[in-house]
Amino acid sequence: MYIGALEFDLLLGDVHSLKEKRSVIRPIIAELHKRFGVHAAEAGDQDLHRRALLGVAMVSAETGHLNEVLDKCERHVAARPEIELLAVRRRIFGPED
C-alpha cells in the first residue's frame, strides 16, 4: 500500500473576503474529489483571504498509478485561471516508511 499527498500553496486572485475565498476553494476541492477520486481539504492559511494551503491525499496499491493521478491533480490545479500556484510539495509513503 502506498499513500501519496500533495500540498498546494495557492495565491488567490481578486478575493477580498473569506467568503469569496471559500467560493473559489470549494469548487476546486469538489472537482478534485469527483474527477480524480482523491480526498482534498483546505489545510492551512484559513484566516488569510488571498492565500490557501490545499492538501490532497490518495491511497493506491501501485506507485505508478499514484504518481499518474497526483500529476493530473497538479496539472488541474495549475490550470485554474483564478489562482496562482506558488508551490507544490509531494510526498509518497510506502511499506518501508
Side-chain angles (χ1 to χ4, degrees):
M1 176 177 75
Y2 296 92
I3 301 167
L6 291 173
E7 187 176 86
F8 295 105
D9 186 7
L10 307 174
L11 178 63
L12 307 178
D14 190 29
V15 173
H16 302 288
S17 70
L18 294 176
K19 185 176 181 179
E20 287 180 19
K21 176 184 180 177
R22 285 191 300 274
S23 72
V24 172
I25 295 297
R26 282 186 181 165
I28 295 171
I29 290 171
E31 286 174 11
L32 288 169
H33 179 69
K34 183 178 179 181
R35 191 168 180 186
F36 303 110
V38 298
H39 292 280
E42 185 178 359
D45 294 332
Q46 282 102 345
D47 295 335
L48 303 175
H49 67 273
R50 291 207 57 226
R51 294 290 295 268
L53 186 64
L54 189 67
V56 173
M58 179 184 171
V59 176
S60 179
E62 301 173 356
T63 58
H65 176 67
L66 185 67
N67 280 310
E68 180 182 326
V69 173
L70 294 179
D71 286 344
K72 288 178 183 178
C73 290
E74 187 174 341
R75 284 192 299 272
H76 181 74
V77 171
R80 301 291 297 225
E82 70 274 18
I83 62 169
E84 181 180 342
L85 183 57
L86 299 176
V88 179
R89 184 174 176 187
R90 181 181 297 216
R91 294 183 187 179
I92 306 263
F93 302 97
E96 307 84 33
D97 296 324

